[in-house]
Amino acid sequence: MFLSMNNGPRICRFFCKGRVVEWDAPQFGEWVRRMGKAEKMVEGIRAVIVLDVWKLLRISTCDNIPLTSAHQVQTSCGWGVPLMGSEEGRSALKNRPTMSSFAAKFKESGKLQGYQAAKNAASLDGLPGLRICRRDNGDRIWLTDARARMRRVLAQKEGLMAGMGLALLMMVFVVAVARLFDVDVVRVAAKP
C-alpha cells in the first residue's frame, strides 16, 4: 500500500505477492537494469522487491463459472490519510480538515454510525472488518470469524499438505514399531 501524505491525497493498493531479490542473487543485476538504474547504480543497494500483482475480481458468471480478471491495482481518495508537515524543523503528521468536516456532516444528519457500519464491516479484500460495525449490522461475529479463520487455514495448502504428510509418516512409524515389538495396535487402542 502506498500513501500520498501531501495536499493531493491518494491511496494505492497492490494486491500482490512479493519476493526479495538480494544483491548477491544472479537475477539482481537484471532487475536493477529493468528499473533503469544500471548506469547509475545506487551505492549500498541491498535488494530489489519484485511484486507479482494479482487480485481476482469477479466480473460476471457464465454457466455458473466465474469469469475473472487476474491483475489489479486499486486506488481510493485518501482523505483520511494525515498530512505530512513540519513543526520546529521536524516531520509531523497533521489532521486533514476534510475528514473532520465529512464526519461532522454525517453526524449532524444522524447517519454516521450507519455509514461506518456499512463501510467498515468488511475490508476491501473481503476479510472481517471492525467488530462494532459487524455487530451493528447484526452479524454473528463468532461465525464470521470462524469462516475467516477456515479460509485462512485452507489457503495454506503447503502447511496442510505438510501436516497430513507428517501425520501419515507418524502412523507408519507407530505401525512399524508395533510390528517390531509384535503389538496389535488396533487391540491396544480398543482396550478401556
Side-chain angles (χ1 to χ4, degrees), residues 130-174:
L130 300 175
R131 287 178 179 269
I132 193 164
C133 296
R134 292 188 287 146
R135 187 195 66 213
D136 288 349
N137 286 339
D139 229 2
R140 291 189 177 133
I141 293 174
W142 64 272
L143 184 60
T144 309
D145 288 346
R147 282 185 191 140
R149 181 173 292 282
M150 186 58 71
R151 274 193 299 258
R152 195 167 46 239
V153 167
L154 293 175
Q156 303 298 321
K157 291 179 180 86
E158 290 175 0
L160 285 171
M161 295 304 289
M164 290 181 355
L166 285 172
L168 184 62
L169 192 61
M170 272 304 266
M171 189 173 77
V172 169
F173 176 75
V174 167

XYZ file of all heavy atoms in Angstrom, residues 130-174:
359
model
N -14.297 -4.217 11.312
C -14.382 -3.850 12.725
C -15.535 -4.576 13.403
O -16.647 -4.632 12.878
C -14.566 -2.333 12.860
C -13.446 -1.466 12.279
C -13.820 -0.001 12.372
C -12.137 -1.739 12.991
N -15.279 -5.112 14.585
C -16.307 -5.885 15.307
C -17.560 -5.055 15.593
O -18.670 -5.532 15.453
C -15.741 -6.424 16.617
C -14.772 -7.548 16.432
C -14.208 -8.004 17.790
N -13.293 -9.101 17.579
C -13.650 -10.380 17.602
N -14.885 -10.709 17.832
N -12.761 -11.324 17.399
N -17.368 -3.815 16.003
C -18.524 -2.984 16.354
C -19.415 -2.752 15.127
O -20.642 -2.737 15.230
C -18.085 -1.656 17.010
C -19.282 -0.965 17.650
C -17.385 -0.753 16.028
C -18.912 0.115 18.616
N -18.810 -2.617 13.959
C -19.590 -2.421 12.730
C -20.318 -3.704 12.347
O -21.471 -3.661 11.914
C -18.678 -1.967 11.597
S -17.933 -0.352 11.915
N -19.656 -4.829 12.518
C -20.309 -6.105 12.209
C -21.465 -6.350 13.177
O -22.518 -6.839 12.787
C -19.295 -7.243 12.260
C -18.278 -7.127 11.131
C -17.390 -8.325 11.022
N -16.428 -8.383 12.099
C -15.984 -9.499 12.656
N -16.414 -10.671 12.244
N -15.095 -9.471 13.611
N -21.248 -5.976 14.443
C -22.318 -6.129 15.430
C -23.503 -5.231 15.082
O -24.660 -5.652 15.135
C -21.795 -5.801 16.832
C -22.818 -6.113 17.923
C -22.482 -5.480 19.237
N -22.584 -4.036 19.071
C -21.836 -3.157 19.710
N -20.923 -3.540 20.553
N -21.996 -1.869 19.517
N -23.222 -3.992 14.692
C -24.287 -3.054 14.316
C -25.076 -3.543 13.102
O -26.246 -3.211 12.944
C -23.716 -1.666 14.031
C -23.254 -0.958 15.299
O -23.566 -1.449 16.404
O -22.575 0.082 15.177
N -24.432 -4.324 12.238
C -25.098 -4.883 11.061
C -25.842 -6.181 11.368
O -26.426 -6.779 10.471
C -24.086 -5.149 9.942
C -23.632 -3.876 9.278
O -24.303 -2.859 9.344
N -22.490 -3.929 8.627
N -25.809 -6.624 12.635
C -26.497 -7.852 13.008
C -25.715 -9.110 12.667
O -26.273 -10.208 12.611
N -24.418 -8.964 12.443
C -23.559 -10.098 12.115
C -23.376 -11.011 13.321
O -23.328 -10.532 14.463
C -22.180 -9.551 11.724
C -21.643 -10.115 10.449
O -22.336 -10.916 9.807
O -20.519 -9.728 10.085
N -23.270 -12.288 13.072
C -22.849 -13.230 14.116
C -21.332 -13.245 14.069
O -20.735 -13.922 13.236
C -23.412 -14.607 13.845
C -24.894 -14.668 14.028
C -25.355 -16.109 13.950
N -26.767 -16.163 14.202
C -27.604 -16.856 13.458
N -27.174 -17.541 12.429
N -28.888 -16.862 13.756
N -20.719 -12.502 14.960
C -19.279 -12.278 14.920
C -18.508 -13.587 14.993
O -17.568 -13.806 14.233
C -18.849 -11.289 16.022
C -19.432 -9.922 15.678
C -17.341 -11.215 16.148
C -19.234 -8.861 16.717
N -18.891 -14.481 15.890
C -18.161 -15.739 16.039
C -18.204 -16.553 14.745
O -17.225 -17.196 14.364
C -18.710 -16.556 17.206
C -20.139 -17.002 17.007
C -21.277 -16.334 17.338
C -20.568 -18.204 16.362
N -22.390 -17.037 16.955
C -21.992 -18.206 16.364
C -19.901 -19.298 15.809
C -22.737 -19.245 15.821
C -20.664 -20.335 15.274
C -22.064 -20.296 15.288
N -19.317 -16.519 14.030
C -19.453 -17.273 12.789
C -18.591 -16.651 11.681
O -17.883 -17.362 10.954
C -20.922 -17.324 12.359
C -21.242 -18.160 11.132
C -20.836 -19.612 11.342
C -22.731 -18.072 10.825
N -18.622 -15.330 11.580
C -17.804 -14.643 10.577
C -16.322 -14.873 10.848
O -15.556 -15.129 9.923
C -18.100 -13.132 10.582
O -19.504 -12.921 10.502
C -17.436 -12.425 9.425
N -15.914 -14.793 12.118
C -14.517 -15.034 12.477
C -14.110 -16.476 12.172
O -13.006 -16.728 11.690
C -14.275 -14.722 13.951
C -14.291 -13.228 14.244
O -14.232 -12.426 13.281
O -14.372 -12.868 15.430
N -15.009 -17.437 12.457
C -14.709 -18.850 12.186
C -14.549 -19.086 10.681
O -13.629 -19.797 10.253
C -15.814 -19.742 12.749
N -15.412 -18.483 9.872
C -15.291 -18.622 8.415
C -13.979 -18.037 7.916
O -13.302 -18.608 7.064
C -16.449 -17.917 7.713
C -17.730 -18.684 7.735
C -18.772 -17.958 6.898
N -20.085 -18.518 7.108
C -21.191 -17.832 7.196
N -21.172 -16.516 7.094
N -22.354 -18.425 7.386
N -13.630 -16.861 8.430
C -12.381 -16.208 8.007
C -11.175 -17.056 8.395
O -10.231 -17.203 7.612
C -12.277 -14.812 8.623
N -11.194 -17.616 9.593
C -10.083 -18.464 10.042
C -9.977 -19.706 9.157
O -8.888 -20.103 8.749
C -10.248 -18.864 11.501
C -9.099 -19.730 11.997
C -9.174 -19.993 13.477
N -8.953 -18.818 14.288
C -7.759 -18.293 14.543
N -6.688 -18.811 14.014
N -7.638 -17.244 15.313
N -11.120 -20.311 8.826
C -11.120 -21.503 7.985
C -10.577 -21.178 6.594
O -9.786 -21.939 6.037
C -12.534 -22.084 7.885
C -12.589 -23.397 7.141
S -11.540 -24.678 7.863
C -12.430 -25.041 9.337
N -10.985 -20.037 6.028
C -10.451 -19.632 4.717
C -8.937 -19.433 4.789
O -8.211 -19.809 3.871
C -11.113 -18.347 4.243
C -12.415 -18.576 3.498
C -12.850 -17.302 2.788
N -13.087 -16.225 3.725
C -14.287 -15.832 4.131
N -15.359 -16.397 3.660
N -14.422 -14.849 4.996
N -8.472 -18.845 5.888
C -7.033 -18.602 6.052
C -6.275 -19.919 6.160
O -5.217 -20.095 5.557
C -6.796 -17.716 7.278
C -5.425 -17.125 7.328
C -5.264 -16.021 8.354
N -5.813 -16.312 9.654
C -6.753 -15.581 10.241
N -7.244 -14.521 9.637
N -7.207 -15.894 11.424
N -6.828 -20.870 6.914
C -6.176 -22.177 7.070
C -6.154 -22.923 5.738
O -5.131 -23.474 5.335
C -6.883 -23.021 8.157
C -6.429 -24.463 8.117
C -6.615 -22.429 9.540
N -7.291 -22.949 5.038
C -7.364 -23.664 3.771
C -6.498 -23.028 2.685
O -6.095 -23.703 1.736
C -8.816 -23.774 3.304
C -9.710 -24.656 4.175
C -11.152 -24.595 3.701
C -9.205 -26.094 4.210
N -6.219 -21.737 2.824
C -5.355 -21.059 1.855
C -3.898 -21.497 2.003
O -3.104 -21.333 1.083
C -5.456 -19.552 2.011
N -3.567 -22.063 3.138
C -2.186 -22.514 3.396
C -2.032 -23.967 2.967
O -1.826 -24.857 3.781
C -1.845 -22.331 4.881
C -1.996 -20.928 5.389
C -1.068 -19.958 4.678
O 0.072 -20.272 4.387
N -1.563 -18.767 4.396
N -2.148 -24.219 1.686
C -2.125 -25.590 1.163
C -0.834 -26.316 1.498
O -0.850 -27.501 1.818
C -2.364 -25.565 -0.336
C -3.775 -25.157 -0.697
C -3.973 -25.115 -2.191
C -5.379 -24.717 -2.534
N -5.619 -23.304 -2.588
N 0.293 -25.627 1.432
C 1.574 -26.268 1.732
C 1.616 -26.746 3.178
O 2.072 -27.844 3.465
C 2.725 -25.313 1.462
C 2.929 -25.030 -0.002
C 4.003 -23.987 -0.241
O 4.590 -23.475 0.732
O 4.244 -23.685 -1.415
N 1.118 -25.909 4.100
C 1.095 -26.297 5.511
C 0.171 -27.473 5.759
O 0.485 -28.388 6.521
N -1.000 -27.449 5.115
C -1.932 -28.567 5.267
C -1.331 -29.862 4.734
O -1.438 -30.917 5.367
C -3.248 -28.278 4.538
C -4.173 -27.282 5.210
C -5.338 -26.926 4.288
C -4.704 -27.829 6.512
N -0.698 -29.787 3.578
C -0.085 -30.982 2.987
C 1.058 -31.489 3.865
O 1.202 -32.699 4.052
C 0.412 -30.680 1.566
C -0.704 -30.349 0.589
S -1.966 -31.627 0.469
C -1.060 -32.879 -0.387
N 1.867 -30.585 4.398
C 2.968 -30.992 5.277
C 2.417 -31.653 6.542
O 2.934 -32.685 6.990
C 3.834 -29.795 5.640
N 1.354 -31.078 7.113
C 0.744 -31.671 8.308
C 0.180 -33.050 8.042
O 0.366 -33.985 8.836
N -0.502 -33.213 6.912
C -1.058 -34.531 6.568
C 0.071 -35.524 6.300
O -0.006 -36.692 6.686
C -1.992 -34.417 5.368
C -3.271 -33.691 5.729
S -4.547 -33.453 4.463
C -3.930 -34.051 2.966
N 1.144 -35.065 5.640
C 2.295 -35.939 5.385
C 2.957 -36.386 6.672
O 3.305 -37.568 6.823
N 3.114 -35.459 7.623
C 3.705 -35.828 8.919
C 2.804 -36.791 9.690
O 3.297 -37.732 10.331
C 3.970 -34.568 9.757
C 5.172 -33.741 9.327
C 5.216 -32.434 10.107
C 6.459 -34.517 9.529
N 1.497 -36.576 9.627
C 0.572 -37.485 10.303
C 0.672 -38.884 9.705
O 0.696 -39.889 10.439
C -0.858 -36.958 10.196
N 0.745 -38.984 8.394
C 0.873 -40.281 7.724
C 2.196 -40.943 8.088
O 2.243 -42.145 8.382
C 0.772 -40.087 6.207
C 0.800 -41.343 5.363
C -0.400 -42.240 5.703
C 0.788 -40.984 3.886
N 3.275 -40.149 8.106
C 4.585 -40.666 8.490
C 4.576 -41.175 9.928
O 5.131 -42.251 10.219
C 5.629 -39.560 8.312
C 7.084 -39.957 8.388
C 7.428 -40.957 7.298
C 7.970 -38.735 8.259
N 3.924 -40.445 10.838
C 3.822 -40.893 12.236
C 3.042 -42.200 12.333
O 3.402 -43.091 13.102
C 3.126 -39.826 13.099
C 4.041 -38.784 13.676
S 5.345 -39.489 14.648
C 4.640 -39.413 16.260
N 1.959 -42.294 11.557
C 1.152 -43.506 11.585
C 1.972 -44.703 11.095
O 1.952 -45.779 11.709
C -0.087 -43.320 10.716
C -1.096 -44.436 10.861
S -2.622 -44.080 9.977
C -2.084 -44.422 8.308
N 2.727 -44.541 10.028
C 3.576 -45.609 9.514
C 4.624 -45.985 10.552
O 4.888 -47.166 10.786
C 4.235 -45.181 8.174
C 5.331 -46.143 7.755
C 3.182 -45.058 7.090
N 5.209 -44.988 11.217
C 6.210 -45.241 12.251
C 5.627 -46.035 13.414
O 6.221 -47.006 13.889
C 6.787 -43.908 12.741
C 7.764 -44.046 13.869
C 9.047 -44.520 13.629
C 7.404 -43.716 15.169
C 9.951 -44.660 14.672
C 8.301 -43.853 16.212
C 9.584 -44.329 15.958
N 4.435 -45.644 13.878
C 3.792 -46.336 15.005
C 3.485 -47.783 14.626
O 3.729 -48.713 15.411
C 2.512 -45.591 15.455
C 1.664 -46.435 16.390
C 2.888 -44.278 16.122
